[in-house]
């Protein structure tokens, strides 16, 4: 009972005679207040210790989306991806708060508001896909999990080169409280989203009648023309020299010399007829065009030389091809040759090559033994494409091909089951259907920011 309550009780009791004067009781209030103060200080000390430890960044709720509760650390991963993908680092002043920099003059939306808005949208869309993947029983393959672990290992190497720990590096890049555990959870979730999207797209199949109907309506968007082009600026004489070059190799050599570059400055283009540059579209699509034809085009004082190589629709009815490859990114030709020699020293079968691909390839199709099916002209990079569609190519052929991605140890399986036009049409239709499917996730879930947890996020 408190001292004040005792006084009240005494006032409420009837007065009684007493032989002695009442003894004054010592007050306990100073001791009580002192105890409360000590406890309060202790609580505050613990609170700020927890605050500074990153506990709230990892455990508070910054965003709710569907049945998910995202911590500030998880929000930070999405936020940083939005920040860099939007190019904000190039369009804002890092010395001024993003909430004080205007993104849209008309609405008054700041960069801070815009990035937060886009982060919530990204969270909602990705978790909508993630939830559907889980509902359909989709799980990551071991190869997908290995990709995540490889990413973490690479980040750890970057951290070591900066003389910091992995957790310290992640916190510096994404924000306080971000560490290996939270990053792994985020990366596995995003890998699930990516793998499920790929799974969906790859399982879109079409009957021949549907492909024929779609091609009849969209031929100009599907059929491509392959050509070389070089912009000569105001140098009309250079454009004329390229026009007189006579063959593809000379055309490329003249352009490389003009550019002062050892790389091919006139890489082949394979463009849909409907998307060809307006200035040369009619010339490139003229049925009379022949391989090696060259012309110059002038627009607003700027000259361009163009060499026609082929109308890819000529291959419409030819079969696609199936190939296997082993991508070697590190070690160059020496490593690629060693892998090819290992194959040649063995059984020299497709299965043997596939097993080597599972062991050595740096491509994402290791589980499939490096297999690409239904390849059509113009789909792959030029050296890869030219090797596949060499008229002399035979099943079982092997070689090494170089592209910008590295060395490719090649194995030719044979002709595919589809025609090239059906393969190209299926890809166009698949792309259209996939885009419609992805857009269906917009608005399916709503990501809601939670004020307390948002205090611990990056950029807020």
């Amino acid at each position: 009972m408190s001292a004040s309550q005792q006084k009240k009780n005494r006032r409420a009791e009837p007065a009684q005679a007493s032989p002695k004067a009442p003894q004054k009781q010592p007050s306990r209030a100073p001791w009580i207040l002192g105890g409360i103060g000590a406890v309060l200080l202790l609580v505050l000390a613990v609170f700020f210790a927890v605050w500074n430890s990153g506990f709230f960044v990892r455990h508070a709720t910054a965003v709710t989306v569907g049945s998910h509760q995202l911590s500030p650390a998880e929000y930070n991963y999405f936020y940083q991806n939005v920040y860099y993908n939007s190019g904000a680092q190039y369009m804002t002043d890092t010395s001024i708060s993003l909430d004080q920099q205007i993104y849209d003059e008309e609405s008054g939306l700041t960069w801070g508001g815009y990035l937060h808005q886009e982060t919530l949208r990204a969270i909602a869309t990705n978790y909508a896909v993630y939830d559907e993947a889980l509902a359909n029983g989709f799980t990551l393959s071991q190869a997908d999990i290995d990709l995540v672990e490889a990413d973490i290992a690479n980040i750890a190497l970057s951290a070591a080169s900066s003389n910091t720990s992995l957790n310290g590096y992640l916190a510096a890049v994404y924000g306080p409280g971000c560490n290996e555990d939270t990053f792994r959870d985020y990366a596995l979730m995003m890998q699930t989203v990516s793998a499920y999207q790929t799974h969906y797209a790859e399982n879109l199949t079409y009957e021949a009648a549907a492909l024929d109907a779609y091609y009849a309506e969209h031929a100009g968007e599907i059929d491509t023309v392959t050509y070389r082009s070089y912009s000569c600026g105001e140098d009309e004489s250079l454009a004329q020299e390229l026009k007189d070059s006579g063959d593809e190799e000379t055309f490329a050599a003249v352009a490389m010399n003009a550019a002062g570059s050892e790389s091919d400055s006139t890489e082949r283009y394979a463009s849909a007829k409907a998307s060809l540059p307006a200035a040369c579209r009619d010339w490139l699509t003229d049925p009379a065009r022949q391989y090696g034809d060259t012309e110059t085009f002038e627009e607003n004082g700027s000259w361009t030389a163009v060499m026609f190589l082929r109308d890819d629709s000529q291959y419409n009815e030819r079969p696609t091809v199936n190939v296997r490859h082993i991508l070697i990114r590190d070690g160059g030709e020496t490593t690629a040759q060693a892998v090819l020699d290992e194959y040649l020293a063995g059984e020299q079968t497709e299965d043997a090559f596939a097993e080597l691909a599972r062991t050595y390839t740096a491509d994402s199709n290791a589980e499939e033994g490096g297999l690409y099916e239904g390849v059509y002209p113009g789909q792959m990079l030029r050296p890869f494409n030219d090797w596949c569609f060499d008229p002399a190519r035979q099943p079982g052929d092997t070689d090494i091909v170089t592209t910008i991605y590295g060395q490719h140890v090649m194995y030719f399986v044979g002709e595919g089951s589809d025609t090239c036009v059906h393969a190209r049409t299926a890809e166009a239709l698949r792309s259209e259907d996939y885009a419609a499917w992805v857009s269906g996730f917009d608005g399916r879930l709503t990501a809601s920011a939670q004020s307390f947890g948002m205090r611990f996020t990056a950029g807020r």
Side-chain angles (χ1 to χ4, degrees), residues 224-274:
T224 59
V225 171
T226 300
Y227 64 101
R228 282 186 178 271
S229 175
Y230 187 75
S231 297
C232 306
E234 298 179 356
D235 195 341
E236 183 179 359
S237 62
L238 174 59
Q240 187 62 46
E241 184 180 359
L242 287 164
K243 180 179 179 179
D244 297 336
S245 58
D247 58 66
E248 185 179 359
E249 289 71 21
T250 305
F251 186 98
V254 171
M256 288 166 61
N257 182 63
S261 171
E262 295 182 0
S263 62
D264 191 343
S265 304
T266 59
E267 184 66 38
R268 292 181 178 185
Y269 297 95
S271 299
K273 292 180 179 179

Side-chain angles (χ1 to χ4, degrees), residues 259-419:
S261 171
E262 295 182 0
S263 62
D264 191 343
S265 304
T266 59
E267 184 66 38
R268 292 181 178 185
Y269 297 95
S271 299
K273 292 180 179 179
S275 302
L276 290 168
C280 58
R281 183 183 303 142
D282 291 343
W283 182 83
L284 283 170
T285 57
D286 187 335
R289 208 73 303 122
Q290 297 291 319
Y291 176 86
D293 286 354
T294 313
E295 189 54 273
T296 59
F297 300 88
E298 183 270 335
E299 188 172 14
N300 298 324
S302 182
W303 290 86
T304 301
V306 178
M307 174 174 280
F308 175 86
L309 299 179
R310 64 170 182 262
D311 182 337
D312 295 317
S313 63
Q314 66 181 298
Y315 300 116
N316 276 358
E317 300 308 318
R318 72 168 291 174
T320 57
V321 299
N322 301 329
V323 298
R324 293 184 185 272
H325 86 130
I326 300 171
L327 174 61
I328 305 296
R329 284 204 177 100
D330 301 320
E333 293 183 14
T334 301
T335 301
Q337 187 61 54
V339 172
L340 180 56
D341 289 344
E342 184 175 344
Y343 166 77
L344 295 174
E347 298 177 357
Q348 297 189 30
T349 64
E350 182 182 350
D351 287 344
F353 190 94
E355 194 56 40
L356 288 174
R358 294 185 185 96
T359 302
Y360 294 116
T361 190
D363 203 351
S364 60
N365 62 350
E367 281 193 342
E368 294 78 34
L371 179 64
Y372 281 108
E373 295 181 296
V375 178
Y376 54 83
Q379 182 180 5
M380 300 297 189
L381 291 174
R382 175 188 167 192
F384 196 110
N385 177 90
D386 290 353
W387 187 88
C388 291
F389 291 99
D390 185 329
R393 191 64 53 230
Q394 295 294 318
D397 284 356
T398 58
D399 206 344
I400 297 174
V401 167
T402 302
T403 72
I404 58 174
Y405 294 109
Q407 309 294 318
H408 304 257
V409 183
M410 306 292 295
Y411 180 94
F412 188 75
V413 177
E415 292 183 345
S417 59
D418 237 342
T419 61

